[in-house]
Amino acid sequence: MSRVHKKRVALIGTVVSLLFAVCLMAQVGGTKDAVSEEAALQTLALASLWKMESGRIAAARASSKAVRDFAAQMINRYRSMAEEIASLAGKKSISLSGRLSQTQENTLAYMAAQRGAEIDREYVSMTVDDLAAEIKMSRSAVTTAKDPAIRTFLAAAAQKLEEDRRRADTILDALPQPILK
């Protein structure tokens, strides 16, 4: 892979993560406004879909065993979280809708064309950035949620997200640094 191509891969991954974080914050009303229970559940449902899809690609195409294992963990964790969200939303008569953005769909297509070390760092880096935004949103929603079941779910979700972020940070730190010539 050429030096220019490696720089483009790194840049695209960073841009997608930042766009996802911006979209996440826009969906929940920014950082100053209270996050509604419905918006928090909707956002985490979409984040779960994103984590499962990007994790599926990383699990199949990453070169690092740690990244493949982490991606498999993300798939399982977010499948379970999506089921919890759907169940909770159903009990509370909250309608969940949505699908991945076009940017996310394009990112998945781009990831599917990559292999090995190119995916390792980009996937974990994107996941770290996404988790940071999700943790912030979940914590905000916990403080304003009125429904005890939703508040309990969001608090537990924030804790799981923090665990995932710590693991992702550890994996990212252990990956070889890209060599730019």
Side-chain angles (χ1 to χ4, degrees):
M1 180 185 298
S2 74
R3 176 179 51 157
V4 172
H5 187 69
K6 286 180 183 178
K7 286 182 180 181
R8 283 185 185 150
V9 168
L11 180 62
I12 288 170
T14 302
V15 168
V16 167
S17 291
L18 291 173
L19 285 173
F20 181 73
V22 167
C23 290
L24 180 65
M25 295 313 294
Q27 286 177 340
V28 298
T31 57
K32 293 181 182 176
D33 300 332
V35 178
S36 75
E37 295 168 344
E38 293 83 4
L41 292 179
Q42 178 67 43
T43 300
L44 288 176
L46 288 173
S48 295
L49 178 59
W50 169 248
K51 293 283 190 318
M52 288 186 289
E53 291 300 315
S54 61
R56 181 185 54 77
I57 293 169
R61 303 186 72 77
S63 63
S64 165
K65 181 173 178 358
V67 173
R68 289 191 309 272
D69 291 347
F70 178 69
Q73 177 192 357
M74 293 292 93
I75 294 166
N76 292 331
R77 165 100 70 184
Y78 286 92
R79 182 180 302 122
S80 174
M81 186 180 286
E83 290 168 0
E84 286 181 70
I85 292 167
S87 174
L88 187 57
K91 290 176 186 172
K92 303 299 176 180
S93 299
I94 297 172
S95 176
L96 298 177
S97 61
R99 55 185 275 266
L100 295 178
S101 70
Q102 188 60 51
T103 301
Q104 290 170 319
E105 293 286 349
N106 291 344
T107 301
L108 292 175
Y110 181 79
M111 285 177 66
Q114 301 303 309
R115 176 170 291 286
E118 296 89 27
I119 280 221
D120 291 350
R121 183 163 282 283
E122 290 308 314
Y123 168 71
V124 178
S125 180
M126 282 190 317
T127 301
V128 166
D129 293 343
D130 295 345
L131 287 167
E134 294 158 16
I135 291 166
K136 186 174 186 175
M137 184 277 307
S138 296
R139 284 184 176 162
S140 174
V142 165
T143 63
T144 60
K146 295 185 182 1
D147 185 286
I150 293 176
R151 189 172 43 249
T152 299
F153 169 78
L154 291 170
Q159 185 175 16
K160 290 175 186 176
L161 294 168
E162 288 171 4
E163 291 169 9
D164 294 341
R165 175 141 190 229
R166 283 191 296 274
R167 181 158 184 226
D169 281 335
T170 299
I171 293 168
L172 189 60
D173 289 344
L175 289 174
Q177 294 293 323
I179 299 172
L180 302 176
K181 296 179 182 181

